């Protein structure tokens, strides 16, 4: 259940992210939406090979996040302290995406997105693709690792 403490912490997190936004405003396009039900920030860097992201913090205790095109929707917001370090790590180029392909057919099988946070912690999301359920396709895989650049160099 959402209480006044959560709402206050949510507002503090939103304000901290708003305070952070000017640090990247010269290197990314930033769109912000504020409504009664959610706050959204969409960050599109100007430089190639950098990682775009979109974050939606909802008043119902859930959030949606898209990092490097990979969506995590309707996630419970257990730790509002995660989002500022996550945004900073993404803008600092601390994102890796691992895409597993079938060696035989080059069919993509899975995508794992990893953001390296401060103090050695990580934020990870893994998605198995529909093709991975095909019989025999997972016998041998090749993993392509994509590294992202920082917004500022």
């Amino acid at each position: 259940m959402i209480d006044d403490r959560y709402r206050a912490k949510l507002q503090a997190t939103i304000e901290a992210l708003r305070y952070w936004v000017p640090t990247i405003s010269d290197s990314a396009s930033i769109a912000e939406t504020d409504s009664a039900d959610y706050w959204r920030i969409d960050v599109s860097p100007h430089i190639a090979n950098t990682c775009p992201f979109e974050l939606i913090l909802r008043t119902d205790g859930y959030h949606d996040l898209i990092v490097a095109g990979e969506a995590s929707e309707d996630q419970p917001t257990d730790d509002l302290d995660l989002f500022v370090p996550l945004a900073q790590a993404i803008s600092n180029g601390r994102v890796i995406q691992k895409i597993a392909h079938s060696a035989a057919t080059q069919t993509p099988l899975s995508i794992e997105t990893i953001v390296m946070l401060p103090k050695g912690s990580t934020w990870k999301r893994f998605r198995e693709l529909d093709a991975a359920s095909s019989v025999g396709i997972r016998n041998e895989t090749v993993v392509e690792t994509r590294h992202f650049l920082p917004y500022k160099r």
Side-chain angles (χ1 to χ4, degrees):
M1 184 166 144
I2 304 305
D3 60 13
D4 288 340
R5 287 179 297 168
Y6 176 83
R7 284 181 179 60
K9 182 66 176 166
L10 177 62
Q11 285 307 311
T13 300
I14 291 168
E15 289 309 313
L17 285 162
R18 284 181 173 147
Y19 182 79
W20 168 78
V21 162
T23 67
I24 61 159
S25 62
D26 62 339
S27 56
S29 297
I30 301 144
E32 181 183 331
T33 306
D34 199 353
S35 80
D37 297 325
Y38 67 91
W39 179 81
R40 173 184 164 268
I41 186 171
D42 187 359
V43 179
S44 299
H46 300 311
I47 300 171
N49 299 317
T50 52
C51 184
F53 74 95
E54 179 180 336
L55 171 63
I56 301 172
L57 295 174
R58 301 175 358 202
T59 58
D60 65 357
Y62 289 83
H63 67 274
D64 305 322
L65 181 62
I66 301 172
V67 177
E70 287 297 302
S72 299
E73 297 178 325
D74 298 320
Q75 299 298 306
T77 305
D78 299 326
D79 182 11
L80 285 163
D81 291 329
L82 165 72
F83 297 109
V84 172
L86 182 68
Q88 290 171 331
I90 292 169
S91 70
N92 289 332
R94 301 190 44 81
V95 180
I96 296 172
Q97 202 166 53
K98 296 180 180 182
I99 304 168
H101 299 271
S102 163
T105 65
Q106 295 302 307
T107 303
L109 303 172
S110 66
I111 300 175
E112 181 177 29
T113 305
I114 304 163
V115 180
M116 282 104 19
L117 300 168
K119 300 178 186 172
S121 62
T122 58
W123 175 92
K124 294 181 183 184
R125 289 299 176 265
F126 178 84
R127 180 170 65 99
E128 193 163 293
L129 304 173
D130 292 336
S133 62
S134 298
V135 177
I137 204 164
R138 259 220 188 274
N139 287 343
E140 291 191 32
T141 59
V142 175
V143 177
E144 169 192 345
T145 302
R146 179 179 178 197
H147 296 266
F148 292 87
L149 297 172
Y151 289 12
K152 296 182 181 202
R153 294 187 233 181

